[in-house]
Amino acid sequence: MAMKNLSFLAVLSLLALTLPLAIASDPSPLQDFCVGVNTPSDGVFVNGKFCKDPKLVTVDDFFMAGLQNARPVANVVGSNVTAVNVNNLPGLNTLGISLVRIDYGVNGQNPPHTHPRATEILYVGLGQLLVGFVTSNGDGNRMFTKTLNEGDVFVFPEGLIHFQFNVGRFPAVAFAALSSQNPGVVTIANSVFGSNPAIDPNVLARAFQLDPKFKRGIRTPLHGRLGAKPKSVGFVQTILEKGNMVVTFCSGEARVLASEVVKLIPLDGGQHVRLRKDVREPIT
């Protein structure tokens, strides 16, 4: 009986020691702070960084300025993410938290992505955003989505695919906290269609049920005439050769020929275009 009790206590002690490690995104520090440095001189390697000698730590190791400034959004997705993590605020090392500022242009988006090491909580400071996340395969890939207004808060669980899209008439700004000093980010489209080296097109064709003969760099390469609505309006993401373009429709992105749209002169990224009456929205 005494041996059984001893074994039970041993197992309980082991669980008590290992459980915090299993549920924490980042290990808890065993000292007041461990300001990250990139050189091993007089340092201990913790969480991918060497700890700065505590006697040499200054207040500026815990400080960063400039997040009040708007960032440019003139890019393909119409947004700009400014990260505050252990790489530019070394005092975050071992503290298990980081921050981002996200600027969105009109119709801008933070495209579907994941953070492999962090849960994210998002606060809308300006504008209106459509946000959402998709659950894992075991949960049926359900999507939870909501339109957020200024002052609203939304949580994206760790590791799940999520996105934000500016559905307002003006630029938007959001701030998000993440439960890791270095949460990482995997942008789905970039990872799948822009990997180095490239994933075999036949693999992508089978997975996405697409034509494998697509041009590298086009997110959704199929070109069709069986879409839902005539006179579809889209948002120009990229101008390609000979005036052809990648356009975002409600159903997703697709390659569109310049001859198929009612042109805005000159055609440029960030413009809205309307398909001709005899052309239907491409299937994506």
Side-chain angles (χ1 to χ4, degrees):
M1 188 66 170
M3 183 61 71
K4 288 184 178 180
N5 290 337
L6 185 60
S7 299
F8 174 76
L9 288 174
V11 171
L12 190 62
S13 300
L14 183 61
L15 287 174
L17 290 172
T18 58
L19 187 59
L21 297 178
I23 63 176
S25 293
D26 292 342
S28 298
L30 299 178
Q31 64 282 333
D32 288 343
F33 48 76
C34 170
V35 174
V37 292
N38 293 318
T39 58
S41 177
D42 300 321
V44 178
F45 196 67
V46 179
N47 285 10
K49 296 286 184 181
F50 290 96
C51 294
K52 189 175 184 179
D53 185 339
K55 297 183 179 61
L56 302 178
V57 171
T58 70
V59 67
D60 287 335
D61 290 317
F62 304 95
F63 173 79
M64 178 179 171
L67 274 193
Q68 80 280 8
N69 298 322
R71 268 57 176 182
V73 294
N75 53 50
V76 173
V77 296
S79 70
N80 193 323
V81 179
T82 303
V84 180
N85 56 37
V86 70
N87 295 316
N88 51 20
L89 186 59
L92 284 174
N93 195 42
T94 75
L95 299 186
I97 194 170
S98 59
L99 179 74
V100 296
R101 171 189 171 124
I102 313 172
D103 291 86
Y104 312 84
V106 177
N107 292 315
Q109 62 173 292
N110 190 7
H113 62 282
T114 71
H115 299 294
R117 296 181 291 275
T119 292
E120 175 181 346
I121 183 167
L122 181 98
Y123 165 78
V124 180
L126 179 68
Q128 187 179 61
L129 298 176
L130 174 68
V131 305
F133 65 86
V134 180
T135 62
S136 60
N137 294 359
D139 190 61
N141 300 127
R142 292 187 295 158
M143 186 170 78
F144 292 80
T145 184
K146 193 169 185 66
T147 298
L148 305 182
N149 297 297
E150 294 178 14
D152 289 345
V153 174
F154 196 83
V155 174
F156 304 107
E158 180 174 339
L160 297 186
I161 295 174
H162 59 282
F163 65 90
Q164 303 105 39
F165 180 64
N166 182 6
V167 294
R169 298 171 56 192
F170 305 99
V173 178
F175 292 88
L178 299 109
S179 61
S180 172
Q181 68 179 43
N182 191 14
V185 60
V186 179
T187 304
I188 306 305
N190 294 352
S191 299
V192 173
F193 294 105
S195 64
N196 185 22
I199 299 174
D200 188 319
N202 293 298
V203 174
L204 297 180
R206 187 68 178 269
F208 289 92
Q209 301 179 36
L210 301 175
D211 183 347
K213 297 178 181 179
F214 65 90
K215 186 172 181 179
R216 181 171 172 79
I218 305 303
R219 293 289 180 262
T220 49
L222 275 187
H223 191 74
R225 297 290 179 274
L226 300 175
K229 296 180 180 179
K231 301 183 182 179
S232 295
V233 175
F235 178 71
V236 178
Q237 295 285 9
T238 307
I239 299 294
L240 306 174
E241 72 287 346
K242 298 181 180 179
N244 300 333
M245 66 204 80
V246 177
V247 178
T248 298
F249 297 97
C250 291
S251 57
E253 286 184 2
R255 183 176 181 175
V256 172
L257 304 179
S259 61
E260 296 173 338
V261 303
V262 177
K263 292 185 179 180
L264 295 175
I265 304 296
L267 280 170
D268 197 4
Q271 290 184 337
H272 286 85
V273 293
R274 180 166 56 86
L275 297 180
R276 293 197 331 256
K277 293 180 179 180
D278 58 326
V279 178
R280 289 181 180 271
E281 184 175 318
I283 295 175
T284 62

